[in-house]
Amino acid sequence: MPRAEPDESEVGNDRASEATARDVPAIVGSNLRRLRKAQGFSLERLAELSGVSRAMLGQIETAKSAPTVSLLWRVADALGVPVATLVATESEPSVVVIHRDRASVLVASEGRYASRSLSPGHRQRSTGFFELTFAASHRESFPAADIGTRHNLVVSAGRLAVTVGSEASVILDEGDAITFEASNVYVIENTGPALARAYLVVTTPSA
């Protein structure tokens, strides 16, 4: 029996699927670059956390390479986001609720430091909002971010010492805030005997 000719809707769906498939590397690359910058990670730092080479990450961000599913899992895990976040294309809703038990959380230094994202990770934006927690007497080092990235940090509980590049350390008590250029390596230390908490807004240069 001769095969029936496809109707216009079938042809349209096939073309849309082909276009979507071609767009995937660009979508993943754009999302990866935005998420990496929002968390203040350099390519080197993300490579260290994910086990994916810096060169490969660079190729993904520029849509020169289509990552495998297993590679996406490793990168998403390092960023503390679901894999779906890296391929999301949906538009911005007017209201977004981020439940505590569903938030993206990055835990490092054997649990002595944690960063919880308070922004929808799959949305296109130039700012990120995070809750940071530091165990008693813990000192955490952060890599330099892209030039033009600024951090605004406010302490909500405890006392923190912040050292940016070669600048002198600044002591922040509860309620104190600091803003700084994050293109230098910086260190945050909990100088108190109990858990310290702070909130961080990261503003990245426009892509």
Side-chain angles (χ1 to χ4, degrees), residues 193-206:
L195 182 79
R197 179 177 286 103
Y199 291 94
L200 173 69
V201 175
V202 176
T203 305
T204 60
S206 298

Side-chain angles (χ1 to χ4, degrees), residues 28 54 65 86 93 165 185 195:
V28 173
R54 182 192 185 285
S65 177
L86 290 173
V185 174
L195 182 79

Side-chain angles (χ1 to χ4, degrees), residues 84-174:
T85 300
L86 290 173
V87 296
T89 59
E90 64 265 31
S91 59
E92 180 94 22
S94 58
V95 176
V96 179
V97 177
I98 305 173
H99 295 284
R100 175 180 290 273
D101 60 348
R102 298 178 186 176
S104 299
V105 180
L106 172 67
V107 179
S109 301
E110 299 181 343
R112 295 176 64 79
Y113 164 71
S115 169
R116 178 167 68 102
S117 176
L118 301 176
S119 300
H122 57 285
R123 307 299 174 194
Q124 292 287 346
R125 61 183 67 246
S126 59
T127 60
F129 183 32
F130 304 90
E131 178 188 58
L132 312 181
T133 55
F134 302 83
S137 303
H138 178 63
R139 176 185 176 93
E140 186 76 17
S141 296
F142 298 86
D146 291 337
I147 294 175
T149 301
R150 293 199 65 82
H151 286 188
N152 292 72
L153 182 81
V154 59
V155 179
S156 63
R159 168 180 284 190
L160 294 175
V162 180
T163 307
V164 181
S166 59
E167 299 289 332
S169 296
V170 177
I171 302 298
L172 303 175
D173 289 310
E174 184 175 328

Side-chain angles (χ1 to χ4, degrees), residues 40-59:
F41 291 159
S42 63
L43 283 172
E44 289 79 4
R45 177 58 172 166
L46 183 56
E48 178 184 343
L49 292 172
S50 65
V52 179
S53 72
R54 182 192 185 285
M56 175 58 72
L57 291 173
Q59 289 181 6

